[in-house]
Amino acid sequence: MDIKEQLKNDVYEVLKDYVKKEDIIIEKPKMRQMGDYALPCFTYSKILKKSPNDIANLIKENLKNYEINVINGYANVFINKKDFSKNILNKILLDKENYGSSNIGNNKKIVIEYSSPNVAKPFGVGHLRSTAIGEALKNICLKTGYKVYTINYLGDYGTQFGKLIYAYKKWGNEEEVKKNPIVELKKLYVKFHEEAITNPSLEDEGRKWFKKLAENDSEALELWNWFKEESIKEYEKTYNLLGINKFDSYIGESYYKDACNEVVKEIEQKGLSKISEGATIVDLGEDKVPAIIKKSDGTTLYITRDIAALLDRKKTYDFDEMLYVVGTEQKLHFEQLKEVLNKMGYDYNITHIGFGMVLQDGKKMSTRGGKTASLESLLNDSIDLARKIIDEKNPNLKNKEEVIKQVGVGAVIFNDLKNYRINDIEFKLEDILKFEGETGPYVQYTHARINSLIKNMNNININYDLININEYEWNVLFSLGEFKDVIVKSKLNYDPSLIAKYIIDLAQDFNKLYANYKFIIEDENLMEFRLQIAYCTKIILKEGMRLLGINAPDEM
Ligand code: ARG
C-alpha cells in the first residue's frame, strides 16, 4: 500500500464512526514546507459537532506515527520520509513503466474520436491539436484501466465536395493534382469561391454536383474517391511523422450518407421535426438555434451524419463513454447533437473535448487562404531546427537523424499539450525547441542526462539507517509518489496538461538536486540512494512522455 493510502486508513480509524472512508480528503498543502499532506477538517465539523481545529487535534493525538501541525482547521502531516522513500523507490524499481497504472476504468469502454482531417484540405494545426490531445487521452485511458477504441472520422462528405468536383471539371488538371494533391485541390476550392462572388450561379452548380454524389452518380463518385485517396496518402505522411500508426476505425462522414435518411425518418416519426422554408429542422427551444437535419433539396447535413454515426458506434462498441476531440469552435454543434439525441430518447454519455486555437504572433494560425504551410512542413521546420541545435551540441551523436526527429516532433506535441486544452496556445518555433524552460526538449534532455548517469548504479541494497534525506532529494521522491494521482486526475478532467506540467516539475526538481549534490561519491550507500532516485526519475519521465505521445531518446 502506498503511504497516502496508509494515511487515509489511519485517519479513517479515528473518524470511522462519523465518516465514510471515501469522504476523507487528503490535499496538498499550499507550500511544501507546511507539510507533505494536508487534511482539511471543516467538512467533518457538522457531523462531529466540533470545531475544525478540535478535529485536527483529535487526529493528531491519535496518529502518533506522523508529525502533525494543526493550523486553521487543517491537520498538516509530515510523513516518515525514510519509510516513504524506501517504499516508493522499491515500488518503481519493481513495477518499472507500469508504475502509476490504475484500474479506475474497470474495463469500461471508451470510444475516442480524434484527428478527423477534411479530405482535399490540408491537415491543419487544429487537427494537430485534436490528434495530440486524442492520442494522449487514449494512452491515459488505457493506463487507468479503460478499454479504448479510436476513430478517425474523416471529413469526406458535404456540399464542399460538390463544389470541388465542379471546380476540378472546369479548371482542374490531372497531372497537377497528382503531383501535389492537397495544394492543387485547395487552389481549385479557393478559385471556386472567388469566381462565385461575381458569378453566384456557381453555387447552384456546386449543389447540383453534391446532389449527384449523394445519388451515387458514377462520375461524381469516381472523382470524389480519387480526391480522397490522394488526400489520405498525404495524411499518412503526417501520421508517420507523429508516430501514430493506427486508429481502430477510419470510417468517415460519407459512410453515413444512407443511414442519414433513416435518422431523418426516425426523427420525423417521433414527431420531433418541422418544415421551415423547405428544410427539415428540430426545434431546440426558445433562444436556441434549431438543428437543420435536411436541406430543402433533400441532402443531409453534418449533424445528421453525426447522429447516424453515433447510433452506429453505440451498436458497434456498446461504449460507456464517447469522447469527441474537436475544437471549441464546434461547441454549438455538439450541444445540438446532444439535445437532438436526448429528444430522440438516447441518453448516451457523450462529451465534447474542446480545445483552443493555435496562435502565431497572437493571431489565429490557419491553413486557410493557403498562407500558412501544411502541418507536414511545420513539423519538418521543427525537425530542421532540432537538427541545427543537436549538430551544435552533440555532433557525434549515435542515431542522430532518429533523435533529431524525436526532438523536433516532441517539441511540437509538448507545446500542444502543456497548457490546459481550452486555452489558446502560441506557436513559436524558437521557443518550443529551447532546451531550457517548459519544453519537450528540456524533459527529453533531462531524461537523456539521467540515462548516462545511472550507468554507475551498482544495484546494492541501501541501508536507510545511514541516510539523511535532504530537501532536494525529498522533493524528487515526493513527486515520484504523486504520479499515479496525476494520471487519474488527468483522466477525470480529460486534461493531458496535468501530466505535462508534472513531468516539467519533476525534471526541474531533479535538476536542482543534480546541481546541488554530487551523485558519484565515496559513500557507496548514499551514491546508490541518489542513483536510484535518478533511475526512478528516468522511468517516470519516460513513461510521462509516452503517455503524451512523445519519444524519449536515451542520448541527445
Ligand atoms: N472533420 C471535422 C473538422 O475538421 C471534425 C470532425 C469532428 N467530429 C464530429 N463527429 N463532428 O471540422
Side-chain angles (χ1 to χ4, degrees):
M1 190 180 331
D2 70 17
I3 301 250
K4 202 165 169 183
E5 201 65 22
Q6 182 70 50
L7 175 63
K8 197 172 214 174
N9 282 344
D10 294 343
V11 176
Y12 178 64
E13 278 306 309
V14 182
L15 302 177
K16 71 174 165 212
D17 292 340
Y18 310 97
V19 295
K20 283 193 271 178
K21 191 149 133 200
E22 52 277 22
D23 291 337
I24 292 170
I25 304 161
I26 302 181
E27 292 177 354
K28 245 174 144 170
K30 287 189 191 69
M31 285 174 292
R32 273 189 186 173
Q33 61 269 31
M34 290 169 72
D36 299 316
Y37 297 114
L39 302 162
C41 296
F42 312 95
T43 45
Y44 317 129
S45 219
K46 245 200 182 140
I47 329 165
L48 271 81
K49 301 201 174 63
K50 282 193 168 89
S51 76
N53 261 3
D54 285 347
I55 298 167
N57 275 314
L58 181 74
I59 292 173
K60 176 178 168 149
E61 278 155 31
N62 282 283
L63 300 192
K64 297 286 186 213
N65 283 342
Y66 305 84
E67 193 191 321
I68 295 182
N69 291 334
V70 173
I71 312 165
N72 298 332
Y74 281 89
N76 288 332
V77 181
F78 289 92
I79 52 181
N80 183 317
K81 291 188 169 54
K82 282 189 189 176
D83 283 352
F84 180 92
S85 305
K86 193 165 145 186
N87 204 318
I88 207 79
L89 292 178
N90 286 339
K91 190 142 177 50
I92 299 175
L93 287 171
L94 192 73
D95 290 357
K96 305 252 166 43
E97 62 279 359
N98 289 323
Y99 177 79
S101 300
S102 64
N103 192 21
I104 59 164
N106 205 3
N107 257 336
K108 281 208 259 347
K109 296 177 198 137
I110 296 196
V111 173
I112 310 178
E113 186 217 277
Y114 61 102
S115 201
S116 311
N118 295 321
V119 166
K121 287 196 190 157
F123 194 115
V125 284
H127 296 113
L128 169 67
R129 281 212 87 184
S130 170
T131 309
I133 295 167
E135 185 72 7
L137 289 178
K138 173 187 94 180
N139 295 330
I140 291 164
C141 289
L142 286 170
K143 182 96 178 164
T144 46
Y146 289 85
K147 200 151 177 36
V148 182
Y149 302 97
T150 56
I151 298 178
N152 189 348
Y153 185 58
L154 289 176
D156 58 1
Y157 206 62
T159 28
Q160 69 272 26
F161 289 96
K163 297 175 185 176
L164 193 59
I165 291 169
Y166 176 82
Y168 175 77
K169 281 172 66 67
K170 184 140 174 118
W171 306 293
N173 171 315
E174 188 174 341
E175 286 311 303
E176 300 287 308
V177 174
K178 278 206 170 127
K179 243 190 277 157
N180 217 341
I182 298 210
V183 173
E184 279 310 307
L185 292 174
K186 169 124 202 206
K187 264 193 208 155
L188 289 169
Y189 192 64
V190 170
K191 184 165 171 81
F192 180 94
H193 283 277
E194 281 165 5
E195 299 280 327
I197 297 172
T198 47
N199 182 3
S201 73
L202 283 191
E203 295 287 348
D204 284 334
E205 294 292 336
R207 265 193 288 276
K208 213 158 64 198
W209 276 99
F210 177 53
K211 201 157 160 50
K212 281 194 180 190
L213 183 62
E215 287 159 359
N216 297 327
D217 170 88
S218 62
E219 187 184 11
L221 267 184
E222 198 177 310
L223 283 172
W224 168 81
N225 253 322
W226 177 51
F227 298 157
K228 193 166 150 174
E229 273 162 29
E230 296 290 343
S231 306
I232 292 175
K233 263 192 243 157
E234 290 287 299
Y235 301 149
E236 289 296 332
K237 291 189 204 158
T238 305
Y239 289 129
N240 282 340
L241 273 177
L242 291 171
I244 290 177
N245 35 38
K246 119 176 204 310
F247 292 84
D248 292 312
S249 159
Y250 289 85
I251 291 180
E253 288 183 46
S254 66
Y255 181 81
Y256 296 105
K257 68 181 186 187
D258 296 329
C260 276
N261 300 325
E262 296 300 311
V263 166
V264 174
K265 224 192 270 164
E266 182 177 337
I267 291 175
E268 282 168 351
Q269 273 165 3
K270 289 184 171 163
L272 305 173
S273 60
K274 62 180 193 195
I275 304 292
S276 167
E277 296 174 30
T280 309
I281 66 166
V282 178
D283 239 328
L284 299 173
E286 261 177 63
D287 326 320
K288 288 208 174 142
V289 190
I292 308 173
I293 56 165
K294 193 168 82 179
K295 287 196 223 164
S296 53
D297 67 1
T299 54
T300 53
L301 293 99
Y302 186 47
I303 191 165
T304 332
R305 294 189 282 281
D306 252 325
I307 300 169
L310 184 61
L311 298 180
D312 178 52
R313 289 168 186 178
K314 181 71 186 176
K315 265 203 206 108
T316 310
Y317 303 105
D318 192 26
F319 58 78
D320 297 288
E321 252 177 284
M322 159 88 232
L323 308 180
Y324 294 92
V325 187
V326 184
T328 303
E329 288 144 323
Q330 294 192 28
K331 190 163 181 265
L332 176 67
H333 169 75
F334 286 101
E335 281 168 5
Q336 290 191 326
L337 178 63
K338 212 170 182 161
E339 284 175 48
V340 175
L341 276 151
N342 281 342
K343 277 181 173 276
M344 292 171 78
Y346 304 113
D347 59 346
Y348 301 155
N349 182 2
I350 65 175
T351 310
H352 172 207
I353 309 296
F355 53 82
M357 295 182 293
V358 184
L359 308 177
Q360 202 163 29
D361 303 322
K363 279 196 228 84
K364 180 172 177 182
M365 186 172 177
S366 97
T367 41
R368 254 174 239 143
K371 261 180 258 142
T372 315
S374 73
L375 182 67
E376 196 198 337
S377 61
L378 183 147
L379 287 171
N380 281 324
D381 289 348
S382 182
I383 292 171
D384 286 343
L385 187 52
R387 180 175 298 111
K388 228 172 106 190
I389 298 172
I390 288 179
D391 272 337
E392 262 168 41
K393 280 194 192 289
N394 196 352
N396 302 319
L397 183 65
K398 278 185 278 166
N399 270 337
K400 200 158 86 177
E401 268 314 299
E402 185 62 20
V403 173
I404 285 167
K405 199 176 112 187
Q406 293 178 343
V407 172
V409 173
V412 175
I413 297 179
F414 195 86
N415 182 57
D416 244 281
L417 296 179
K418 74 172 185 180
N419 293 308
Y420 180 51
R421 58 183 161 77
I422 299 294
N423 299 338
D424 291 342
I425 58 167
E426 182 70 36
F427 183 88
K428 197 164 177 207
L429 209 52
E430 305 86 77
D431 288 350
I432 70 173
L433 273 151
K434 287 205 172 110
F435 276 40
E436 287 123 49
E438 300 180 354
T439 67
Y442 171 72
V443 184
Q444 286 171 320
Y445 188 62
T446 306
H447 171 269
R449 174 196 263 175
I450 297 178
N451 198 51
S452 80
L453 184 64
I454 56 172
K455 299 208 169 99
N456 302 293
M457 231 164 91
N458 290 317
N459 295 311
I460 54 168
N461 276 333
I462 296 167
N463 180 352
Y464 280 86
D465 292 338
L466 303 177
I467 302 249
N468 257 321
I469 300 173
N470 71 44
E471 183 196 340
Y472 295 98
E473 291 158 345
W474 179 239
N475 284 342
V476 177
L477 285 157
F478 190 75
S479 273
L480 292 174
E482 297 284 290
F483 190 46
K484 183 168 157 188
D485 280 2
V486 171
I487 300 170
V488 167
K489 231 182 179 169
S490 73
K491 158 63 185 73
L492 297 176
N493 297 315
Y494 302 117
D495 182 8
S497 76
L498 296 175
I499 294 177
K501 291 197 180 91
Y502 169 85
I503 55 176
I504 284 284
D505 287 346
L506 178 61
Q508 283 175 350
D509 281 337
F510 181 83
N511 284 324
K512 278 184 205 146
L513 170 62
Y514 189 76
N516 284 283
Y517 288 92
K518 291 208 162 58
F519 281 67
I520 312 300
I521 45 181
E522 285 283 304
D523 181 343
E524 266 200 340
N525 192 51
L526 185 58
M527 169 158 137
E528 186 67 15
F529 176 62
R530 294 212 174 121
L531 288 174
Q532 280 196 11
I533 295 177
Y535 179 73
C536 291
T537 303
K538 170 192 139 81
I539 290 177
I540 302 307
L541 290 178
K542 182 166 185 168
E543 178 61 3
M545 283 187 265
R546 185 193 68 81
L547 289 171
L548 299 178
I550 296 171
N551 280 303
D554 280 339
E555 230 184 291
M556 67 185 264

